[in-house]
Amino acid sequence: MKYFGGCDVGSTYTKAVIIDENGKMVANTTLKSKIIAQESAEMAMKEVVSQVPELSSSKDLTYLIGTGYGRNKVPFADENISEISCHAMGVHVTNPSVKAIIDIGGQDVKGIAIDTDGTVKNFAMNDKCAAGTGRFFEAMARSFEMSLEDFSKLSLKAKNVIPITAQCTVFAESEVITLVGEGKPMDEIAAGIEMAVAKRCFVMSKKAGATDSITLTGGCAKNDGLKAAIEQVLKLKVVELSTDPQLMGALGAAEYARQKGLAR
């Protein structure tokens, strides 16, 4: 059996996936990224390879592709491919009927339209500001003195929404701290935060060509409050993926590795 790997070195988390020659995922891992991207890649690959008895190191893989923020820092990869292409391919092999993605990463937000073969038809990207990214949600959860998981569910309890007007992460955090200090309902503040991010996703979804449904990838795809807010703002169904949405970049990289490895 031949095995193929994908290593997605993100700014916040590093993900690695191994699939077999039939495209079945046989191993995966998600680790907090280190400051040095190469160390993150090495740790993730060591962990994921240990899950496959037939492999002793990443060198035993038939083909390996690096992707993500630190894709150029995966020295043992055969090549690297952009995370935009890899997220599209990852979603395509997971759910071929989905044709539009909003990928909310640690430092940017992307809208991606998928072609029928899993390649990218069109995309838009907001990388000028951290507002609406994983870093933004980390800052908001910190303001609430809550875990990200608890914060993601808080807004679902709200009957009203307190709008968050600041567009900058720093100013938004200050605004939230002020509202909390004034004794405003925390669930309603959280609902305002989720709604503000959902509105930022509106333009991305249009550029991604979303018409009736969309899916979310990246760690923020696990934010239940954000999913509900996006459905409300975009008037689109958010399709749940059968595989961890945070693994889509690594899975897409592994699928590209499979295609290229089998073609050699």
Side-chain angles (χ1 to χ4, degrees), residues 2 10 19 22 40 87 95 149 163 175 183 188 195 204 210 249:
K2 294 180 179 180
I19 61 176
N22 299 313
S40 300
H87 274 264
N95 190 336
E149 183 178 0
E175 184 177 354
E188 296 181 6
M195 195 64 67
M204 296 295 170

Side-chain angles (χ1 to χ4, degrees), residues 148-156 194 222-225:
L148 273 170
E149 183 178 0
D150 289 340
F151 175 78
S152 75
K153 295 177 171 61
L154 183 60
S155 65
L156 299 176
E194 305 287 17
K222 300 175 182 180
N223 184 326
D224 294 334

Side-chain angles (χ1 to χ4, degrees), residues 159-171:
K159 295 182 179 179
N160 298 299
V161 177
I162 296 177
I164 303 300
T165 57
Q167 295 296 306
C168 167
T169 298
V170 176
F171 293 142

Side-chain angles (χ1 to χ4, degrees), residues 84 111-114 119-124 206-209:
I84 295 170
I112 307 169
I114 311 174
T119 59
V120 176
K121 180 185 276 187
N122 189 25
F123 76 93
K206 293 301 180 184
K207 290 185 177 179

